[in-house]
Amino acid sequence: MQIPNFSALLKLSLRIKLLKQIHGSILVNGLDHLEPILIRQIIVSSGSFHQTHVTQYVKTILNHTQHRDVSPLGYAIRFLCQHGQFQDAVIFYVQLQRSGVFPNTYALSSIPKAYGKINCKNGGISVHCQVHKYGFASIVYVQTALLDFYSKMGDIKTAHKVFDEMSDRNIVSWNAIISGYVKFGELEMAQSVFDRMPERDIVSWNAILLGYAKAGKMDQAYVLFKEMPERGASSWNVMIRGYIDRGNIELARGFFDAMPKRNSISYITMISAYSKCGDVESAEKIFYEEEKKDQLLYNAMVACYAQNGRPKEALHLFDEMLQPILNIQPDKMTLASAISACSQLGDSNMGSRIESYMGEFGIRMDNYLSTALIDMHAKCGSIDKAIELFHRLEKKDIVAYSAIILGCGINGRGQDAIKLFEEMIGSNISPNSATITGILSAYNHAGLVEEGYDCFELMQKYGIIPCVDHYAIMVDLLGKAGRLEEAYELIKKMPMQPHSGVWGALLLACSVHNNVELGEIAAAKCFKLEPNSTGYCSLLSKIYVSSGKWDEAKRLREAIEERGFNKVPGCSWIKPAEA
DNA sequence: TTAGGGTTAG
């Protein structure tokens, strides 16, 4: 078989289809006859592919090549880092070392960032040692990458030490150390480095501007902003973000409207600010007014819908992204929001589609995705799947614990929930309001009244102010146990106005335990709070019937008919899985 | 080297 002339082909390789053909030929014919320079060219040219495919190309090429030349491998590592594939970059770097290949500048100046991103401090430290061992200590790019790594890992002291020891510094090194100080709120140190810099560029100005914005010193930030020799979209974005953090969304919007050229970050900053304060309409307006919608913009809007209890719209937009005409690839961010939308709808079918999508596109699970999936499986009744996912989590944080505790609670696994709650406290993770909702629900399911009361005490210990929903669960718990008077007393002691959920819980309990007197009180409150709901009438009617109060039952029924109520059939929030 | 977005309850 004739071996193709790769050199000639590669000269024409800028076209995607051709590159794919070359790749196919390479797999068939092997790489033995290829020069390392050509392998490198394949990796370089493959930039026009979708990121996930590129990673596959790089992986395949690296795994097939017999040439253990550092040049293409170093390039591949840099490529992976530039495309956010940090885990892969680290795997290849380790592979490279195991094959006895010396790393080069490309690899060493990229890999610290990868170790930082995967939160592996020891990895970065070992790279630091190798830098000295292999004699790269005087390379400014490598040293800057290390200094940035230490500053991102929160070790600003070592970052400064690396900075001090650098024989050669460029503007990037100076900017990196300023950003390090800004990140840790050491504005004075950042300012002092900024003042000493031999020259400044827009990044240096943006970094110090951010320092003031983060410190909430917006007046001084504004002075700096006016003083800057040039301003970019990032400078405007820093101001927008600064005002948002100070709660001044109107002023932020003013800057957003006034900026000469917005970028995706400007849009997502504004959209997420509107999302957080529940102003979905303003977020939508910004989203639909922008004609060129990219992945970031879609992500922001999908998240906005999901966070504001509008899961159908979130999934509609998610579907729109996937349309071939747009072909915007969802990423981890999109998927996390979409999964959250699925759990709000109890739609496990869509959830499973998203899970297969993750497999197809090689999207790695992370804490956000796992937690969203844990919640989804739990809400869709697959509690075992949720528990399994939870146990596989690398880092179990408060959100994951809250999700699984609530999941166990609503699935009748009270004892599991209690065990997990104790485990969480034992790991020194403080509960938040959501965790309390979860554990109270679990106590409620298990009928553990005293534990419920203890929970209210625990809230005090952790500085959590009980909210109306916590009371609603407690009332339900007391009511189910037949402690109706106690439940009523608790409602009377509530520091806020009880909502219909609280009175509804008492009414339900009264109907179970046939308490006419309290039932009437609770029902009256429910009628007042939700005059259009018929469920409360049925409950009260049931109480009358069970207690033999036929006249009252009749009067109530007549009143219902007079007002034209129709009985609303019960509905479940869980959509059954398709057969 | 700077700016931004995702997960729990309500």
Side-chain angles (χ1 to χ4, degrees), chain A residues 401-402 404-409 413-422 424-425 431-446 448 451-452 455-456 458-459 470 473 477:
Chain A
Y401 267 112
S402 304
I404 193 70
I405 289 168
L406 179 79
C408 287
R413 302 276 189 98
Q415 289 307 321
D416 285 335
I418 294 161
K419 230 173 99 190
L420 285 161
F421 185 71
E422 282 166 358
M424 189 193 85
I425 302 285
N432 63 21
S433 187
T435 334
I436 298 296
T437 306
I439 191 67
L440 269 175
S441 308
Y443 291 146
N444 189 13
H445 268 83
L448 299 167
E451 281 80 354
C455 203
F456 270 76
L458 199 70
M459 284 164 86
H470 296 139
I473 303 170
L477 174 53

mmCIF file of all heavy atoms in Angstrom, chain A residues 401-402 404-409 413-422 424-425 431-446 448 451-452 455-456 458-459 470 473 477:
data_model
loop_
_atom_site.group_PDB
_atom_site.id
_atom_site.type_symbol
_atom_site.label_atom_id
_atom_site.label_comp_id
_atom_site.label_asym_id
_atom_site.label_seq_id
_atom_site.Cartn_x
_atom_site.Cartn_y
_atom_site.Cartn_z
ATOM 1 N N TYR A 401 -24.018 17.961 50.312
ATOM 2 C CA TYR A 401 -24.648 17.381 51.512
ATOM 3 C C TYR A 401 -26.124 17.781 51.600
ATOM 4 O O TYR A 401 -26.990 16.963 51.874
ATOM 5 C CB TYR A 401 -23.901 17.820 52.785
ATOM 6 C CG TYR A 401 -22.836 16.843 53.230
ATOM 7 C CD1 TYR A 401 -21.484 17.159 53.165
ATOM 8 C CD2 TYR A 401 -23.197 15.593 53.735
ATOM 9 C CE1 TYR A 401 -20.499 16.267 53.579
ATOM 10 C CE2 TYR A 401 -22.229 14.688 54.150
ATOM 11 C CZ TYR A 401 -20.883 15.033 54.071
ATOM 12 O OH TYR A 401 -19.932 14.141 54.482
ATOM 13 N N SER A 402 -26.380 19.082 51.339
ATOM 14 C CA SER A 402 -27.766 19.542 51.448
ATOM 15 C C SER A 402 -28.653 18.809 50.452
ATOM 16 O O SER A 402 -29.778 18.407 50.786
ATOM 17 C CB SER A 402 -27.853 21.049 51.180
ATOM 18 O OG SER A 402 -27.002 21.737 52.044
ATOM 19 N N ILE A 404 -28.242 15.818 49.063
ATOM 20 C CA ILE A 404 -28.458 14.386 49.353
ATOM 21 C C ILE A 404 -29.299 14.210 50.617
ATOM 22 O O ILE A 404 -30.122 13.290 50.700
ATOM 23 C CB ILE A 404 -27.117 13.598 49.415
ATOM 24 C CG1 ILE A 404 -27.375 12.100 49.387
ATOM 25 C CG2 ILE A 404 -26.261 13.962 50.613
ATOM 26 C CD1 ILE A 404 -27.880 11.555 48.100
ATOM 27 N N ILE A 405 -29.108 15.093 51.587
ATOM 28 C CA ILE A 405 -29.900 14.998 52.819
ATOM 29 C C ILE A 405 -31.375 15.224 52.497
ATOM 30 O O ILE A 405 -32.243 14.455 52.912
ATOM 31 C CB ILE A 405 -29.382 15.989 53.899
ATOM 32 C CG1 ILE A 405 -28.019 15.497 54.431
ATOM 33 C CG2 ILE A 405 -30.377 16.129 55.048
ATOM 34 C CD1 ILE A 405 -27.268 16.496 55.279
ATOM 35 N N LEU A 406 -31.636 16.249 51.704
ATOM 36 C CA LEU A 406 -33.020 16.513 51.304
ATOM 37 C C LEU A 406 -33.551 15.340 50.475
ATOM 38 O O LEU A 406 -34.681 14.896 50.666
ATOM 39 C CB LEU A 406 -33.107 17.807 50.480
ATOM 40 C CG LEU A 406 -34.519 18.130 50.022
ATOM 41 C CD1 LEU A 406 -35.321 18.759 51.154
ATOM 42 C CD2 LEU A 406 -34.535 19.032 48.819
ATOM 43 N N GLY A 407 -32.691 14.840 49.566
ATOM 44 C CA GLY A 407 -33.086 13.716 48.717
ATOM 45 C C GLY A 407 -33.496 12.515 49.537
ATOM 46 O O GLY A 407 -34.532 11.885 49.281
ATOM 47 N N CYS A 408 -32.674 12.198 50.562
ATOM 48 C CA CYS A 408 -33.007 11.058 51.424
ATOM 49 C C CYS A 408 -34.308 11.349 52.165
ATOM 50 O O CYS A 408 -35.169 10.473 52.301
ATOM 51 C CB CYS A 408 -31.880 10.805 52.426
ATOM 52 S SG CYS A 408 -30.427 10.069 51.677
ATOM 53 N N GLY A 409 -34.427 12.589 52.628
ATOM 54 C CA GLY A 409 -35.625 12.990 53.372
ATOM 55 C C GLY A 409 -36.886 12.771 52.568
ATOM 56 O O GLY A 409 -37.820 12.129 53.048
ATOM 57 N N ARG A 413 -35.926 8.055 53.324
ATOM 58 C CA ARG A 413 -34.725 7.459 53.923
ATOM 59 C C ARG A 413 -34.246 8.329 55.079
ATOM 60 O O ARG A 413 -33.135 8.857 55.050
ATOM 61 C CB ARG A 413 -33.610 7.361 52.873
ATOM 62 C CG ARG A 413 -33.956 6.552 51.642
ATOM 63 C CD ARG A 413 -33.720 5.085 51.911
ATOM 64 N NE ARG A 413 -33.856 4.333 50.688
ATOM 65 C CZ ARG A 413 -32.835 3.944 49.937
ATOM 66 N NH1 ARG A 413 -31.609 4.246 50.266
ATOM 67 N NH2 ARG A 413 -33.062 3.255 48.836
ATOM 68 N N GLY A 414 -35.117 8.496 56.039
ATOM 69 C CA GLY A 414 -34.828 9.382 57.153
ATOM 70 C C GLY A 414 -33.523 9.030 57.854
ATOM 71 O O GLY A 414 -32.707 9.912 58.141
ATOM 72 N N GLN A 415 -33.325 7.720 58.120
ATOM 73 C CA GLN A 415 -32.123 7.324 58.863
ATOM 74 C C GLN A 415 -30.848 7.652 58.090
ATOM 75 O O GLN A 415 -29.859 8.087 58.659
ATOM 76 C CB GLN A 415 -32.182 5.818 59.210
ATOM 77 C CG GLN A 415 -33.218 5.473 60.261
ATOM 78 C CD GLN A 415 -33.079 6.322 61.531
ATOM 79 O OE1 GLN A 415 -31.975 6.623 61.992
ATOM 80 N NE2 GLN A 415 -34.222 6.735 62.080
ATOM 81 N N ASP A 416 -30.888 7.445 56.758
ATOM 82 C CA ASP A 416 -29.720 7.778 55.925
ATOM 83 C C ASP A 416 -29.432 9.270 56.004
ATOM 84 O O ASP A 416 -28.271 9.689 56.117
ATOM 85 C CB ASP A 416 -29.986 7.400 54.457
ATOM 86 C CG ASP A 416 -29.887 5.897 54.243
ATOM 87 O OD1 ASP A 416 -29.195 5.245 55.036
ATOM 88 O OD2 ASP A 416 -30.515 5.388 53.291
ATOM 89 N N ALA A 417 -30.522 10.069 55.937
ATOM 90 C CA ALA A 417 -30.367 11.519 55.985
ATOM 91 C C ALA A 417 -29.715 11.934 57.299
ATOM 92 O O ALA A 417 -28.791 12.749 57.317
ATOM 93 C CB ALA A 417 -31.721 12.197 55.830
ATOM 94 N N ILE A 418 -30.183 11.337 58.380
ATOM 95 C CA ILE A 418 -29.652 11.690 59.702
ATOM 96 C C ILE A 418 -28.175 11.318 59.794
ATOM 97 O O ILE A 418 -27.345 12.093 60.274
ATOM 98 C CB ILE A 418 -30.478 11.001 60.812
ATOM 99 C CG1 ILE A 418 -31.899 11.592 60.809
ATOM 100 C CG2 ILE A 418 -29.836 11.152 62.171
ATOM 101 C CD1 ILE A 418 -32.949 10.750 61.508
ATOM 102 N N LYS A 419 -27.851 10.149 59.264
ATOM 103 C CA LYS A 419 -26.448 9.703 59.284
ATOM 104 C C LYS A 419 -25.554 10.672 58.508
ATOM 105 O O LYS A 419 -24.469 11.044 58.949
ATOM 106 C CB LYS A 419 -26.368 8.295 58.656
ATOM 107 C CG LYS A 419 -25.603 7.307 59.527
ATOM 108 C CD LYS A 419 -25.699 5.921 58.972
ATOM 109 C CE LYS A 419 -24.481 5.548 58.181
ATOM 110 N NZ LYS A 419 -24.636 4.300 57.449
ATOM 111 N N LEU A 420 -26.057 11.062 57.330
ATOM 112 C CA LEU A 420 -25.279 11.982 56.489
ATOM 113 C C LEU A 420 -25.135 13.353 57.141
ATOM 114 O O LEU A 420 -24.085 13.983 57.052
ATOM 115 C CB LEU A 420 -25.955 12.128 55.118
ATOM 116 C CG LEU A 420 -25.761 10.933 54.195
ATOM 117 C CD1 LEU A 420 -26.805 10.926 53.084
ATOM 118 C CD2 LEU A 420 -24.356 10.943 53.603
ATOM 119 N N PHE A 421 -26.202 13.778 57.836
ATOM 120 C CA PHE A 421 -26.146 15.075 58.499
ATOM 121 C C PHE A 421 -25.086 15.040 59.606
ATOM 122 O O PHE A 421 -24.272 15.953 59.736
ATOM 123 C CB PHE A 421 -27.525 15.414 59.084
ATOM 124 C CG PHE A 421 -27.603 16.781 59.690
ATOM 125 C CD1 PHE A 421 -27.592 17.923 58.897
ATOM 126 C CD2 PHE A 421 -27.699 16.942 61.072
ATOM 127 C CE1 PHE A 421 -27.669 19.190 59.465
ATOM 128 C CE2 PHE A 421 -27.774 18.203 61.643
ATOM 129 C CZ PHE A 421 -27.769 19.326 60.834
ATOM 130 N N GLU A 422 -25.078 13.932 60.350
ATOM 131 C CA GLU A 422 -24.083 13.795 61.423
ATOM 132 C C GLU A 422 -22.672 13.746 60.847
ATOM 133 O O GLU A 422 -21.737 14.340 61.374
ATOM 134 C CB GLU A 422 -24.369 12.530 62.244
ATOM 135 C CG GLU A 422 -25.528 12.763 63.208
ATOM 136 C CD GLU A 422 -26.074 11.475 63.791
ATOM 137 O OE1 GLU A 422 -25.586 10.379 63.425
ATOM 138 O OE2 GLU A 422 -27.023 11.566 64.602
ATOM 139 N N MET A 424 -21.704 15.110 58.136
ATOM 140 C CA MET A 424 -21.369 16.454 57.672
ATOM 141 C C MET A 424 -20.872 17.326 58.822
ATOM 142 O O MET A 424 -19.839 17.983 58.722
ATOM 143 C CB MET A 424 -22.605 17.080 57.022
ATOM 144 C CG MET A 424 -22.338 18.369 56.318
ATOM 145 S SD MET A 424 -23.871 19.214 55.905
ATOM 146 C CE MET A 424 -24.159 20.055 57.438
ATOM 147 N N ILE A 425 -21.626 17.288 59.932
ATOM 148 C CA ILE A 425 -21.222 18.073 61.103
ATOM 149 C C ILE A 425 -19.847 17.588 61.576
ATOM 150 O O ILE A 425 -18.979 18.381 61.921
ATOM 151 C CB ILE A 425 -22.270 17.934 62.250
ATOM 152 C CG1 ILE A 425 -23.648 18.395 61.767
ATOM 153 C CG2 ILE A 425 -21.839 18.658 63.514
ATOM 154 C CD1 ILE A 425 -23.845 19.881 61.633
ATOM 155 N N PRO A 431 -23.912 23.650 58.614
ATOM 156 C CA PRO A 431 -25.127 23.613 57.787
ATOM 157 C C PRO A 431 -25.587 25.026 57.426
ATOM 158 O O PRO A 431 -25.239 25.977 58.116
ATOM 159 C CB PRO A 431 -26.150 22.952 58.710
ATOM 160 C CG PRO A 431 -25.648 23.193 60.092
ATOM 161 C CD PRO A 431 -24.165 23.285 60.012
ATOM 162 N N ASN A 432 -26.324 25.127 56.355
ATOM 163 C CA ASN A 432 -26.968 26.390 56.031
ATOM 164 C C ASN A 432 -28.483 26.193 56.048
ATOM 165 O O ASN A 432 -28.968 25.111 56.406
ATOM 166 C CB ASN A 432 -26.444 26.956 54.691
ATOM 167 C CG ASN A 432 -26.749 26.050 53.508
ATOM 168 O OD1 ASN A 432 -27.646 25.216 53.563
ATOM 169 N ND2 ASN A 432 -26.003 26.209 52.453
ATOM 170 N N SER A 433 -29.178 27.214 55.637
ATOM 171 C CA SER A 433 -30.629 27.173 55.720
ATOM 172 C C SER A 433 -31.203 26.009 54.887
ATOM 173 O O SER A 433 -32.159 25.349 55.305
ATOM 174 C CB SER A 433 -31.161 28.506 55.212
ATOM 175 O OG SER A 433 -32.518 28.580 55.403
ATOM 176 N N ALA A 434 -30.598 25.746 53.728
ATOM 177 C CA ALA A 434 -31.088 24.662 52.857
ATOM 178 C C ALA A 434 -30.861 23.296 53.508
ATOM 179 O O ALA A 434 -31.721 22.409 53.423
ATOM 180 C CB ALA A 434 -30.381 24.728 51.512
ATOM 181 N N THR A 435 -29.699 23.140 54.176
ATOM 182 C CA THR A 435 -29.411 21.866 54.843
ATOM 183 C C THR A 435 -30.457 21.604 55.928
ATOM 184 O O THR A 435 -30.913 20.473 56.105
ATOM 185 C CB THR A 435 -28.019 21.887 55.512
ATOM 186 O OG1 THR A 435 -27.189 22.805 54.841
ATOM 187 C CG2 THR A 435 -27.401 20.529 55.541
ATOM 188 N N ILE A 436 -30.796 22.673 56.637
ATOM 189 C CA ILE A 436 -31.784 22.537 57.717
ATOM 190 C C ILE A 436 -33.143 22.115 57.131
ATOM 191 O O ILE A 436 -33.818 21.244 57.687
ATOM 192 C CB ILE A 436 -31.899 23.858 58.519
ATOM 193 C CG1 ILE A 436 -30.556 24.191 59.192
ATOM 194 C CG2 ILE A 436 -33.025 23.774 59.549
ATOM 195 C CD1 ILE A 436 -30.078 23.218 60.243
ATOM 196 N N THR A 437 -33.515 22.713 56.021
ATOM 197 C CA THR A 437 -34.764 22.321 55.368
ATOM 198 C C THR A 437 -34.732 20.823 55.075
ATOM 199 O O THR A 437 -35.709 20.111 55.311
ATOM 200 C CB THR A 437 -34.957 23.105 54.050
ATOM 201 O OG1 THR A 437 -34.847 24.492 54.341
ATOM 202 C CG2 THR A 437 -36.297 22.825 53.413
ATOM 203 N N GLY A 438 -33.581 20.360 54.580
ATOM 204 C CA GLY A 438 -33.421 18.951 54.242
ATOM 205 C C GLY A 438 -33.538 18.049 55.449
ATOM 206 O O GLY A 438 -34.317 17.078 55.449
ATOM 207 N N ILE A 439 -32.802 18.373 56.505
ATOM 208 C CA ILE A 439 -32.776 17.475 57.663
ATOM 209 C C ILE A 439 -34.114 17.522 58.410
ATOM 210 O O ILE A 439 -34.606 16.499 58.901
ATOM 211 C CB ILE A 439 -31.560 17.766 58.600
ATOM 212 C CG1 ILE A 439 -31.399 16.655 59.656
ATOM 213 C CG2 ILE A 439 -31.623 19.114 59.279
ATOM 214 C CD1 ILE A 439 -31.006 15.317 59.102
ATOM 215 N N LEU A 440 -34.737 18.709 58.433
ATOM 216 C CA LEU A 440 -36.062 18.802 59.055
ATOM 217 C C LEU A 440 -37.083 17.952 58.285
ATOM 218 O O LEU A 440 -37.924 17.287 58.887
ATOM 219 C CB LEU A 440 -36.533 20.258 59.086
ATOM 220 C CG LEU A 440 -36.195 21.089 60.326
ATOM 221 C CD1 LEU A 440 -36.639 22.534 60.138
ATOM 222 C CD2 LEU A 440 -36.826 20.509 61.585
ATOM 223 N N SER A 441 -36.959 17.960 56.960
ATOM 224 C CA SER A 441 -37.858 17.117 56.152
ATOM 225 C C SER A 441 -37.642 15.649 56.480
ATOM 226 O O SER A 441 -38.594 14.860 56.508
ATOM 227 C CB SER A 441 -37.604 17.313 54.654
ATOM 228 O OG SER A 441 -37.650 18.640 54.325
ATOM 229 N N ALA A 442 -36.376 15.295 56.695
ATOM 230 C CA ALA A 442 -36.071 13.899 57.023
ATOM 231 C C ALA A 442 -36.678 13.532 58.383
ATOM 232 O O ALA A 442 -37.285 12.472 58.532
ATOM 233 C CB ALA A 442 -34.561 13.689 57.038
ATOM 234 N N TYR A 443 -36.510 14.427 59.373
ATOM 235 C CA TYR A 443 -37.101 14.172 60.696
ATOM 236 C C TYR A 443 -38.621 14.055 60.553
ATOM 237 O O TYR A 443 -39.265 13.247 61.210
ATOM 238 C CB TYR A 443 -36.770 15.312 61.667
ATOM 239 C CG TYR A 443 -35.316 15.386 62.071
ATOM 240 C CD1 TYR A 443 -34.692 16.610 62.311
ATOM 241 C CD2 TYR A 443 -34.561 14.227 62.241
ATOM 242 C CE1 TYR A 443 -33.363 16.692 62.700
ATOM 243 C CE2 TYR A 443 -33.225 14.292 62.621
ATOM 244 C CZ TYR A 443 -32.627 15.530 62.837
ATOM 245 O OH TYR A 443 -31.324 15.592 63.211
ATOM 246 N N ASN A 444 -39.155 14.897 59.694
ATOM 247 C CA ASN A 444 -40.593 14.913 59.467
ATOM 248 C C ASN A 444 -41.053 13.556 58.923
ATOM 249 O O ASN A 444 -42.009 12.969 59.409
ATOM 250 C CB ASN A 444 -40.909 16.033 58.478
ATOM 251 C CG ASN A 444 -42.394 16.273 58.342
ATOM 252 O OD1 ASN A 444 -43.186 15.794 59.141
ATOM 253 N ND2 ASN A 444 -42.776 17.016 57.318
ATOM 254 N N HIS A 445 -40.317 13.056 57.932
ATOM 255 C CA HIS A 445 -40.668 11.755 57.357
ATOM 256 C C HIS A 445 -40.559 10.638 58.378
ATOM 257 O O HIS A 445 -41.328 9.687 58.359
ATOM 258 C CB HIS A 445 -39.759 11.438 56.168
ATOM 259 C CG HIS A 445 -40.335 11.898 54.883
ATOM 260 N ND1 HIS A 445 -40.215 13.201 54.428
ATOM 261 C CD2 HIS A 445 -41.063 11.248 53.943
ATOM 262 C CE1 HIS A 445 -40.839 13.312 53.289
ATOM 263 N NE2 HIS A 445 -41.357 12.159 52.959
ATOM 264 N N ALA A 446 -39.540 10.766 59.252
ATOM 265 C CA ALA A 446 -39.311 9.692 60.217
ATOM 266 C C ALA A 446 -40.129 9.898 61.483
ATOM 267 O O ALA A 446 -40.088 9.070 62.397
ATOM 268 C CB ALA A 446 -37.815 9.618 60.544
ATOM 269 N N LEU A 448 -39.705 12.211 63.851
ATOM 270 C CA LEU A 448 -38.846 12.476 65.011
ATOM 271 C C LEU A 448 -39.029 13.906 65.517
ATOM 272 O O LEU A 448 -38.325 14.829 65.111
ATOM 273 C CB LEU A 448 -37.381 12.226 64.629
ATOM 274 C CG LEU A 448 -37.067 10.799 64.179
ATOM 275 C CD1 LEU A 448 -35.707 10.713 63.528
ATOM 276 C CD2 LEU A 448 -37.149 9.848 65.370
ATOM 277 N N GLU A 451 -36.058 15.502 67.761
ATOM 278 C CA GLU A 451 -34.926 15.851 66.900
ATOM 279 C C GLU A 451 -35.221 17.144 66.128
ATOM 280 O O GLU A 451 -34.335 17.955 65.899
ATOM 281 C CB GLU A 451 -34.625 14.717 65.913
ATOM 282 C CG GLU A 451 -33.842 13.559 66.495
ATOM 283 C CD GLU A 451 -34.708 12.599 67.304
ATOM 284 O OE1 GLU A 451 -35.904 12.879 67.513
ATOM 285 O OE2 GLU A 451 -34.169 11.562 67.737
ATOM 286 N N GLY A 452 -36.492 17.295 65.747
ATOM 287 C CA GLY A 452 -36.909 18.522 65.062
ATOM 288 C C GLY A 452 -36.691 19.742 65.936
ATOM 289 O O GLY A 452 -36.134 20.742 65.495
ATOM 290 N N CYS A 455 -33.172 20.596 66.271
ATOM 291 C CA CYS A 455 -32.699 21.233 65.059
ATOM 292 C C CYS A 455 -32.844 22.753 65.151
ATOM 293 O O CYS A 455 -31.973 23.505 64.728
ATOM 294 C CB CYS A 455 -33.507 20.694 63.891
ATOM 295 S SG CYS A 455 -32.670 20.867 62.363
ATOM 296 N N PHE A 456 -33.950 23.192 65.748
ATOM 297 C CA PHE A 456 -34.149 24.636 65.926
ATOM 298 C C PHE A 456 -33.067 25.214 66.841
ATOM 299 O O PHE A 456 -32.597 26.318 66.630
ATOM 300 C CB PHE A 456 -35.560 24.913 66.475
ATOM 301 C CG PHE A 456 -36.567 25.103 65.361
ATOM 302 C CD1 PHE A 456 -37.061 24.029 64.641
ATOM 303 C CD2 PHE A 456 -36.995 26.380 65.014
ATOM 304 C CE1 PHE A 456 -37.973 24.201 63.614
ATOM 305 C CE2 PHE A 456 -37.903 26.571 63.974
ATOM 306 C CZ PHE A 456 -38.395 25.479 63.269
ATOM 307 N N LEU A 458 -30.070 23.926 67.161
ATOM 308 C CA LEU A 458 -28.828 23.839 66.385
ATOM 309 C C LEU A 458 -28.693 25.062 65.470
ATOM 310 O O LEU A 458 -27.596 25.598 65.264
ATOM 311 C CB LEU A 458 -28.859 22.565 65.542
ATOM 312 C CG LEU A 458 -27.518 22.071 65.029
ATOM 313 C CD1 LEU A 458 -26.687 21.532 66.177
ATOM 314 C CD2 LEU A 458 -27.712 20.975 63.982
ATOM 315 N N MET A 459 -29.835 25.498 64.942
ATOM 316 C CA MET A 459 -29.819 26.651 64.044
ATOM 317 C C MET A 459 -29.265 27.872 64.758
ATOM 318 O O MET A 459 -28.515 28.643 64.182
ATOM 319 C CB MET A 459 -31.230 26.943 63.526
ATOM 320 C CG MET A 459 -31.673 25.976 62.470
ATOM 321 S SD MET A 459 -33.438 26.042 62.224
ATOM 322 C CE MET A 459 -33.580 27.341 61.067
ATOM 323 N N HIS A 470 -39.061 26.486 57.431
ATOM 324 C CA HIS A 470 -38.627 25.631 58.539
ATOM 325 C C HIS A 470 -39.791 25.423 59.517
ATOM 326 O O HIS A 470 -40.038 24.322 59.997
ATOM 327 C CB HIS A 470 -37.444 26.261 59.273
ATOM 328 C CG HIS A 470 -36.204 26.379 58.412
ATOM 329 N ND1 HIS A 470 -35.384 27.466 58.423
ATOM 330 C CD2 HIS A 470 -35.672 25.531 57.502
ATOM 331 C CE1 HIS A 470 -34.393 27.290 57.571
ATOM 332 N NE2 HIS A 470 -34.546 26.116 56.999
ATOM 333 N N ILE A 473 -42.405 22.968 58.159
ATOM 334 C CA ILE A 473 -42.049 21.546 58.305
ATOM 335 C C ILE A 473 -42.274 21.110 59.750
ATOM 336 O O ILE A 473 -42.806 20.036 60.022
ATOM 337 C CB ILE A 473 -40.583 21.284 57.877
ATOM 338 C CG1 ILE A 473 -40.360 21.751 56.436
ATOM 339 C CG2 ILE A 473 -40.222 19.807 58.023
ATOM 340 C CD1 ILE A 473 -38.911 21.767 56.007
ATOM 341 N N LEU A 477 -44.619 18.225 61.214
ATOM 342 C CA LEU A 477 -44.065 17.154 62.051
ATOM 343 C C LEU A 477 -44.890 17.004 63.337
ATOM 344 O O LEU A 477 -45.296 15.891 63.714
ATOM 345 C CB LEU A 477 -42.596 17.492 62.348
ATOM 346 C CG LEU A 477 -41.776 16.650 63.312
ATOM 347 C CD1 LEU A 477 -41.824 15.185 62.927
ATOM 348 C CD2 LEU A 477 -40.320 17.114 63.310
#
